[in-house]
């Protein structure tokens, strides 16, 4: 063997020994870290201590059965933010704003919209002292903001900032009424209304999402905010935020159902929507079924890796968690304390609508929307009168149907059909001032809605397709007398939680009429046995648990990212040392020259 070959062999041997020594060192070091106390001396590597601390926190914050024993409250959320997400800025993005200012009688009127999304998110934003970004559509909204388009809310006791985004009438028509509500809304709901997709609406939708993304970036105090993106109005927003703030935690919650992949394929921009949503760190749905549908759509239309065991999708070098987070409400203890008792509420409502004291009152409360099954509810009432005519004159259906999207043809048609059917039922079965259907097409405050719940004998939630439907949970929460019967559609997400309700198929009027008869004849004791566990479920699984679950998952992602960064730094340092050893041998060989 030549001297040159001998030198090369020694180089290989020494390099191997060096690598072995490094491996042994790291192995011993890792074992020592596992058993070492949580303190370190001045001479220890601070980065190594940070890695140990992150790892312990990550292990501690894994899913635990103890989570069900936590009392979820605003204080719980604040504790999560303080301990698990220190110095994190929370930004909420939604189309609808929690407070609207309108010009009225030469003054400004404050309106708090009766919205399930707002009622769920408003207490969260208050608890987190965050920033809420929303479209400013009130006629006096521009008059009430400061030079940065912000207004502090709630009025009288401000706890967070509302940042308003301005859209032109053309942008709003295309983005909101067009693509979102004539396209995505019917696409995602099994209500047999054909979705309409226009190129101009898509362009407006894209432009509006971009405008909101710019606002998020402007409101972010650093590069690592936690952004809670709400609903189908912002499918492109997560990717746009990710491009500008790559270290942000983006949690997107899709409040409506997600269709199966065959239905979703109808959308001409399906890949763009999926790509936009996968800019999220976490995507949440009300039910696991909808989460599964989303995953199947991604699997069908995008080149991605589905990690089903971890409920995650790897796409474009990023991993997105896809989880079910059933939304809920804030337990209304303070609100109920302000309201009259059940008997007083009942008397007030009956006087308002001229109802006799001995009639049973059934209520429906929702927006006038074709997904809510209002016409099917009327059909079930008629079926009951045909099968059991003794109930004519003894039952009234009070339908609160707040006007919604009235400029769209499908909603105009629904409005006309509902009023026509109600009038037909009143003419057919009404007499001597008795009307079996009372239609009220007005917006109601939260206090008014809860008073209606408390006065009702039955609440009908007969959605043809729904994400969750918080009306069901609000009715249960309102009944501190543990009375009243909830009729709940099997196609509403709430039916997966409120199992003691009378679960019905709104497409089957005969079955619905029999359930209605069961509700009318149910004893007070059975009502109590059904209502009590539902109230416990809504109280324990409240909106703070919904938000807290997402924030805890966000904290785990952030800590995992920190651990990955620390590990990457350690690996680069180790590789640099190995490179230095090899280059030293190379320099020695070069200076020795050939032999």
């Amino acid at each position: 063997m030549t001297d040159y070959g001998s030198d090369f062999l020694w180089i290989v041997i020494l390099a191997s020994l060096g690598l072995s020594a490094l491996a042994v060192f790291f192995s011993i070091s890792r074992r020592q870290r596992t058993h070492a106390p949580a303190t370190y001396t001045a001479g220890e590597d601070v980065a190594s201590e940070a890695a140990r601390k992150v790892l312990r926190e990550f292990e501690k914050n894994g899913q635990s059965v103890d989570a069900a024993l936590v009392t979820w409250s605003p204080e719980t959320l604040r504790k999560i933010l303080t301990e698990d997400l220190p110095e994190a800025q929370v930004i909420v993005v939604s189309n609808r704003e929690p407070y609207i200012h309108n010009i009225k009688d030469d003054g400004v009127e404050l309106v708090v919209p009766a919205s399930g999304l707002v009622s769920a998110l408003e207490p969260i934003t208050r608890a987190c002292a965050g920033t809420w970004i929303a479209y400013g559509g009130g006629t006096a909204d521009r008059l009430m903001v400061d030079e940065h388009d912000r207004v502090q809310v709630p009025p009288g006791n401000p706890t967070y900032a509302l940042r308003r985004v301005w859209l032109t009438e053309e942008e709003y028509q295309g983005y909101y009424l067009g693509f979102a509500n004539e396209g995505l809304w019917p696409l995602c709901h099994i209500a047999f209304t054909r979705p309409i997709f226009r190129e101009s609406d898509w362009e407006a939708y894209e432009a509006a999402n971009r405008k909101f993304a710019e606002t998020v970036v402007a409101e972010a105090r650093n590069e690592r905010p936690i952004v809670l993106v709400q609903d189908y109005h912002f499918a492109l927003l997560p990717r746009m935020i990710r491009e500008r703030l790559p270290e942000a935690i983006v949690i997107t919650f899709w409040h409506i159902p997600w269709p199966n992949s065959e239905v979703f394929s109808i959308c001409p921009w399906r890949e763009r929507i999926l790509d936009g949503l996968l800019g999220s760190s976490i995507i949440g749905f009300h039910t696991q079924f909808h989460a599964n549908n989303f995953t199947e759509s991604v699997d069908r239309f995008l080149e991605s890796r589905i990690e089903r065991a971890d409920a995650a999708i790897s796409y474009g070098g990023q991993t997105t968690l896809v989880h079910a987070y059933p939304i809920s409400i804030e337990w209304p203890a303070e609100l109920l304390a302000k309201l009259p008792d059940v008997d007083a509420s009942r008397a007030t409502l009956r006087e308002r609508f001229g109802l006799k004291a001995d009639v049973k009152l059934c209520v429906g409360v929702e927006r006038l929307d074709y997904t809510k099954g209002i016409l099917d509810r009327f059909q079930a009432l008629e079926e009951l009168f045909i099968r059991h005519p003794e109930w004519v004159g003894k039952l009234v259906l009070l339908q609160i149907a707040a006007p919604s999207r009235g400029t769209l043809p499908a909603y105009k048609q629904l409005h006309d059909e509902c009023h026509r059917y109600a009038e037909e039922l009143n003419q057919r079965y009404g007499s001597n001032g008795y009307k079996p259907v009372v239609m009220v097409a007005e917006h109601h405050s939260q206090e008014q809605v809860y008073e209606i719940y408390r006065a009702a004998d039955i609440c009908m939630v007969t959605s043809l397709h729904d994400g969750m439907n918080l009306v069901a949970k609000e009715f249960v929460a309102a009944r501190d007398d543990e009375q009243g019967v909830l009729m709940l559609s099997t196609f509403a997400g709430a039916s997966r939680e409120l199992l003691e309700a009378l679960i019905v198929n709104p497409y089957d009027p005969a079955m619905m009429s029999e359930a209605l008869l069961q509700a009318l004849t149910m004893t007070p004791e059975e009502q109590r046995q059904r209502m009590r566990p539902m109230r416990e479920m809504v109280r324990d699984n409240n909106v703070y648990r919904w938000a807290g679950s997402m924030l805890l998952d966000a904290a785990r992602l952030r800590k995992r990212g920190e651990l990955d960064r620390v590990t990457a730094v350690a690996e680069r340092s180790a590789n640099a040392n190995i490179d230095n050893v090899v280059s030293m041998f190379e320099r020695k060989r070069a200076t020795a020259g050939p032999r």
Side-chain angles (χ1 to χ4, degrees):
M1 180 180 292
T2 64
D3 291 340
Y4 182 88
S6 177
D7 279 353
F8 179 77
L9 179 60
W10 276 109
I11 290 171
V12 172
I13 293 172
L14 290 173
S16 300
L17 290 172
L19 289 173
S20 299
L22 282 172
V24 171
F25 171 78
F26 282 122
S27 176
I28 294 172
S29 177
R30 186 179 293 111
R31 189 176 298 121
Q32 288 174 341
R33 289 170 188 170
T34 303
H35 301 286
T39 59
Y40 62 92
T41 64
E44 281 188 281
D45 185 358
V46 177
S48 298
E49 169 58 22
R52 292 199 297 275
K53 183 177 180 181
V54 167
L55 185 59
R56 286 197 302 275
E57 288 295 316
F58 178 73
E59 291 171 345
K60 184 180 73 174
N61 286 331
Q63 295 292 339
S64 170
V65 294
D66 295 337
L69 304 177
V70 174
T71 301
W72 292 91
S73 65
E75 290 70 30
T76 312
L77 288 188
R78 284 191 280 267
K79 185 176 181 181
I80 291 173
L81 289 170
T82 300
E83 297 183 359
D84 297 278
L85 292 163
E87 302 179 2
Q89 178 192 11
V90 176
I91 300 175
V92 175
V93 185
S94 71
N95 176 76
R96 181 167 294 183
E97 54 184 338
Y99 296 93
I100 304 171
H101 290 97
N102 287 323
I103 297 174
K104 185 178 181 180
D105 301 329
D106 297 326
V108 175
E109 177 188 38
L110 178 69
V111 178
V112 181
S115 160
L117 183 146
V118 168
S119 64
L121 285 168
E122 213 270 337
I124 304 305
T125 318
R126 277 193 275 112
C128 298
T131 300
W132 189 319
I133 299 174
Y135 163 63
T139 54
D141 275 356
R142 288 182 183 268
L143 301 177
M144 303 305 295
V145 297
D146 61 18
E147 66 273 18
H148 302 293
D149 295 326
R150 300 190 195 106
V151 58
Q152 300 299 314
V153 291
N157 184 29
T159 55
Y160 68 92
L162 171 59
R163 168 69 188 272
R164 286 169 170 156
V165 177
W166 315 116
L167 300 174
T168 67
E169 183 63 26
E170 183 179 2
E171 286 175 328
Y172 184 76
Q173 290 285 336
Y175 138 78
Y176 178 75
L177 293 175
F179 190 79
N181 287 310
E182 283 191 294
L184 290 179
W185 179 268
L187 179 75
C188 291
H189 288 85
I190 304 173
F192 309 106
T193 298
R194 176 173 175 154
I196 299 172
F197 293 107
R198 308 180 187 91
E199 183 77 28
S200 59
D201 290 344
W202 168 257
E203 292 172 355
Y205 184 84
E206 192 173 20
N209 274 244
R210 189 174 297 111
K211 185 173 288 189
F212 273 86
E214 292 168 355
T215 306
V216 169
V217 173
E219 289 296 319
R221 293 194 295 264
N222 55 51
E223 296 181 349
R224 307 178 70 198
I226 296 175
V227 186
L228 306 178
V229 177
Q230 304 303 310
D231 225 352
Y232 61 102
H233 311 96
F234 300 113
L236 304 180
L237 184 57
R239 178 66 61 195
M240 293 175 175
I241 295 173
R242 176 74 53 210
E243 290 170 351
R244 301 283 297 276
L245 298 171
E247 294 187 32
I249 294 289
V250 182
I251 304 173
T252 301
F253 195 83
W254 195 264
H255 288 262
I256 63 176
W258 188 277
N260 63 51
S261 62
E262 185 69 19
V263 172
F264 183 69
S265 69
I266 293 171
C267 181
W269 298 278
R270 61 201 182 197
E271 289 87 0
R272 290 285 308 280
I273 287 174
L274 294 173
D275 174 83
L277 288 170
L278 288 175
S280 309
S281 313
I282 301 170
I283 302 175
F285 296 90
H286 289 304
T287 69
Q288 188 60 49
F289 181 70
H290 297 151
N292 293 345
N293 279 348
F294 174 80
T295 301
E296 292 301 328
S297 297
V298 173
D299 196 22
R300 179 173 177 180
F301 296 113
L302 296 181
E303 289 291 334
S304 59
R305 187 174 72 252
I306 309 298
E307 307 287 355
R308 298 188 187 278
D310 299 324
I313 298 173
S314 295
Y315 170 75
Q318 179 193 335
T319 299
T320 301
L321 301 183
V322 182
H323 287 182
Y325 304 97
I327 200 171
S328 194
I329 63 172
E330 182 179 24
W331 188 250
E334 294 183 7
L335 175 61
L336 294 181
K338 299 176 185 177
L339 293 177
D341 62 26
V342 170
D343 290 338
S345 298
R346 191 183 300 267
T348 299
L349 199 70
R350 290 171 184 271
E351 181 180 357
R352 176 184 172 188
F353 294 106
L355 307 179
K356 294 181 180 179
D358 60 342
V359 301
K360 293 283 188 177
L361 180 60
C362 180
V363 301
V365 181
E366 52 258 307
R367 293 182 303 105
L368 187 62
D369 193 286
Y370 53 76
T371 66
K372 301 302 180 182
I374 298 174
L375 290 171
D376 304 86
R377 198 172 302 166
F378 291 169
Q379 193 173 355
L381 179 66
E382 183 174 21
E383 190 74 20
L384 175 75
F385 288 159
I386 293 172
R387 290 166 174 258
H388 304 279
E390 67 274 15
W391 281 99
V392 175
K394 299 179 181 179
L395 172 64
V396 171
L397 171 57
L398 172 62
Q399 179 60 59
I400 307 297
S404 175
R405 305 164 190 166
T407 61
L408 298 181
Y411 289 83
K412 288 181 180 179
Q413 180 181 346
L414 176 67
H415 175 274
D416 294 342
E417 288 180 354
C418 284
H419 282 273
R420 183 168 55 249
Y421 200 171
E423 187 59 32
E424 289 176 1
L425 290 174
N426 289 336
Q427 290 179 358
R428 193 174 302 138
Y429 299 104
S431 62
N432 300 324
Y434 165 71
K435 292 183 178 181
V437 179
V438 178
M439 280 280 292
V440 182
E442 300 174 1
H443 292 282
H444 286 67
S445 68
Q446 189 181 38
E447 289 81 2
Q448 291 171 326
V449 167
Y450 268 76
E451 194 168 5
I452 292 170
Y453 293 146
R454 289 163 72 78
D457 297 291
I458 304 166
C459 180
M460 296 184 77
V461 178
T462 56
S463 311
L464 302 179
H465 203 189
D466 227 329
M468 175 56 68
N469 195 300
L470 294 180
V471 167
K473 294 188 176 184
E474 289 176 346
F475 173 71
V476 167
R479 299 312 298 254
D480 51 5
D481 62 337
E482 298 182 342
Q483 294 296 291
V485 181
L486 174 63
M487 287 181 58
L488 180 58
S489 168
T490 188
F491 303 114
S495 66
R496 273 67 169 177
E497 297 182 272
L498 303 177
L499 303 179
E500 292 77 16
L502 297 183
I503 308 298
V504 298
N505 177 359
Y507 293 93
D508 185 347
M511 182 262 202
M512 285 249 285
S513 70
E514 291 305 312
L516 189 53
L517 179 65
Q518 181 183 352
L520 289 167
T521 56
M522 188 178 294
T523 65
E525 180 57 30
E526 183 179 350
Q527 292 180 41
R528 184 173 295 107
Q529 290 175 356
R530 290 175 176 270
M531 186 62 72
R532 186 171 293 164
M534 289 194 292
R535 284 176 57 80
E536 290 176 357
M537 197 287 304
V538 175
R539 183 182 62 245
D540 296 341
N541 295 287
N542 57 34
V543 70
Y544 299 109
R545 182 172 184 174
W546 171 73
S549 298
M550 291 188 289
L551 290 177
L552 282 174
D553 282 345
R556 295 182 188 111
L557 285 179
R558 175 149 290 176
K559 290 170 182 176
R560 185 185 301 169
E562 291 170 357
L563 180 60
D564 290 343
R565 281 193 292 273
V566 170
T567 304
V569 170
E571 288 177 351
R572 284 197 299 270
S573 177
N575 290 335
N577 290 334
I578 293 172
D579 291 341
N580 288 336
V581 171
V582 173
S583 61
M584 179 178 67
F585 281 116
E586 290 176 344
R587 286 195 300 270
K588 180 178 180 181
R589 187 184 65 187
T591 55
R595 294 185 182 179

